[in-house]
Amino acid sequence: MDKIMMNQLEFYGYHGVYPEETKLGQRFYVDLIMEMDLSKSAKSDNLNDTIDYGAVHDLVKSIMEGEPRNLVETLAEEISSSLLNEFSFIENVTVKVVKPDPPIPGHYESVAVEIMRSRSV
């Protein structure tokens, strides 16, 4: 299966379970792997035969900068289901949501959740 990857999309959101997270907000990163057949678009050189990266970014931004969620798991699930619903070309999607510098005891560079979802047949 062919893949389109979008890496380290950066957003500022107010997600988390601690009061300071929902008040102050923080940066989040999203990585996407979208699997689909790219043979038609490779031959046609036409954007209508593939995924518009700008439209994908806008969809992910609306979730990441939208309604606060407690869990990054929820954000990843919303992104994956929205991508599969919005873009019929996508067969499988992997979504990774990274929360740099989480406010938990000890020093952690980041925490992340990665999920893989497929289109229902």
Side-chain angles (χ1 to χ4, degrees):
M1 184 74 51
D2 303 321
K3 298 175 183 177
I4 292 177
M5 293 167 265
M6 296 177 71
N7 301 310
Q8 293 192 331
L9 286 75
E10 184 176 344
F11 304 99
Y12 199 87
Y14 295 85
H15 312 290
V17 296
Y18 298 112
E20 63 269 20
E21 293 177 296
T22 58
K23 182 178 180 184
L24 301 174
Q26 60 195 322
R27 286 177 300 122
F28 291 87
Y29 296 101
V30 175
D31 295 336
L32 305 172
I33 300 173
M34 298 167 284
E35 297 183 28
M36 67 203 76
D37 182 357
L38 296 173
S39 59
K40 183 177 180 182
S41 61
K43 292 174 185 167
S44 72
D45 197 28
N46 187 328
L47 181 58
N48 293 325
D49 294 331
T50 190
I51 300 297
D52 180 338
Y53 307 153
V56 170
H57 177 270
D58 291 347
L59 184 148
V60 175
K61 180 179 179 175
S62 71
I63 294 167
M64 293 302 299
E65 294 184 357
E67 182 179 343
R69 301 294 186 197
N70 290 329
L71 304 177
V72 291
E73 292 90 328
T74 303
L75 294 164
E77 186 65 36
E78 288 182 12
I79 292 167
S80 66
S81 63
S82 295
L83 287 170
L84 289 169
N85 287 333
E86 185 71 24
F87 301 99
S88 62
F89 294 120
I90 300 174
E91 293 298 322
N92 306 300
V93 64
T94 301
V95 177
K96 180 178 177 182
V97 178
V98 180
K99 181 186 230 181
D101 303 313
I104 52 180
H107 178 72
Y108 299 89
E109 181 178 302
S110 66
V111 295
V113 169
E114 181 176 278
I115 65 170
M116 297 177 289
R117 299 293 183 262
S118 296
R119 181 173 302 288
S120 298
V121 179

